[in-house]
Amino acid sequence: MTSLHTLPIPRQTARPHEHAWVVDSRHPTSEGVVVYVSCTGCSAHRVDLQTHSQTPPTALSRETTGDPDAFRP
């Protein structure tokens, strides 16, 4: 079988890493403070909720990127 009849090997373009989240903006709500964060090492974004000022925020959304295919099921 020649390479004309085989599928290309998928290559991973982004290497997985531990995100370094920084706050883009925050807004008080009745549930707590909604925090919009982004990763300094890649284009990932996430929405967090901080219910109390002395506790760390919890993720309300999954990590998203600028890749439109990331939103497809």
Side-chain angles (χ1 to χ4, degrees):
M1 187 181 308
T2 65
S3 62
L4 296 175
H5 303 307
T6 60
L7 296 173
I9 298 172
R11 299 192 187 258
Q12 189 174 23
T13 56
R15 297 177 69 185
H17 68 277
E18 185 171 338
H19 295 290
W21 298 112
V22 294
V23 175
D24 291 333
S25 64
R26 62 180 66 228
H27 308 282
T29 68
S30 61
E31 298 291 322
V33 177
V34 175
V35 184
Y36 298 89
V37 295
S38 62
C39 177
T40 60
C42 67
S43 61
H45 294 275
R46 192 175 74 187
V47 179
D48 294 349
L49 176 66
Q50 188 171 15
T51 56
H52 189 274
S53 63
Q54 300 299 315
T55 60
T58 56
L60 288 179
S61 70
R62 295 186 310 173
E63 300 160 12
T64 61
T65 63
D67 180 12
D69 292 330
F71 300 103
R72 293 191 179 139

